[in-house]
Every structure is written in structure tokens, then in C-alpha cells.
Amino acid sequence: MSVNNKYLTDKQIQDAYIFMDGTFNKSTEFDHGLFSEWLILKTILDDEYEEEIEVAKVNLYLFNGDQVDFYEAADSIDGDQEFVASRLLNVF
């Protein structure tokens, strides 16, 4: 999870009306079984300008383990995901 606007105070975030936006994509590397979704939490601090401010963003990966190998899916995303997947597979 990341916060792109570091100038928001705790009070502003606590009092804000938070809404969610996002995108949902099917993997181009696999025919089926792997999707990614960006979820973005936003708020509007000033009613006059109605400018949307990003509060937080998270990227979720959804995969069907019956259709896609966990390690191969993680490796297709990026090196960080591959690193985490390799450690998880060693533990489990």
C-alpha cells in the first residue's frame, strides 16, 4: 500500500469521505487464471474545486491455482513478486 499525498494530515484523512476507484485487468501472459486490480482510495477535501486526492493505492493479484502455477504467475509480474513467491513456496 502506498500513500501518494504525504501532505494530508491525520485529521483530514479521519474526517474525509473516502471513496474507491480502480482498474481490473486480465493478464496478457496467461490465457486464463491471472488478473490484477489496482484499488485506489480517494477523497475530495475542498467542495469548491472538487479535486480528487489519492489517499492510498494497492495492487492485488488474483490467480486460480488450479489453472496457473503460483511461481510462474509471480515471476511474470516482476522480480519482487517472484522473490516473495519463492520464499513462500519454500516455507509451505
Side-chain angles (χ1 to χ4, degrees), residues 39-83:
L39 296 177
I40 304 166
L41 299 180
K42 296 181 178 181
T43 189
I44 298 173
L45 294 179
D46 190 344
D47 289 333
E48 182 179 333
Y49 298 108
E50 295 187 9
E51 179 183 351
E52 294 179 357
I53 297 172
E54 187 175 294
V55 176
K57 179 171 27 177
V58 64
N59 193 4
L60 302 173
Y61 294 98
L62 309 168
F63 73 96
N64 182 335
D66 291 334
Q67 298 176 348
V68 178
D69 179 79
F70 177 68
Y71 180 81
E72 288 181 19
D75 189 37
S76 75
I77 297 166
D78 68 31
D80 292 337
Q81 303 297 328
E82 182 274 334
F83 177 77

Side-chain angles (χ1 to χ4, degrees), residues 1 4-7 18-20 25 27 30 32 39 41 44 46 52 58-59 61 66 70 79-80 82 84-85 88:
M1 178 181 268
N4 288 342
N5 193 326
K6 295 179 176 26
Y7 300 106
I18 304 287
F19 57 95
M20 189 172 10
N25 300 302
S27 171
F30 294 88
H32 51 274
L39 296 177
L41 299 180
I44 298 173
D46 190 344
E52 294 179 357
V58 64
N59 193 4
Y61 294 98
D66 291 334
F70 177 68
D80 292 337
E82 182 274 334
V84 171
L88 285 172

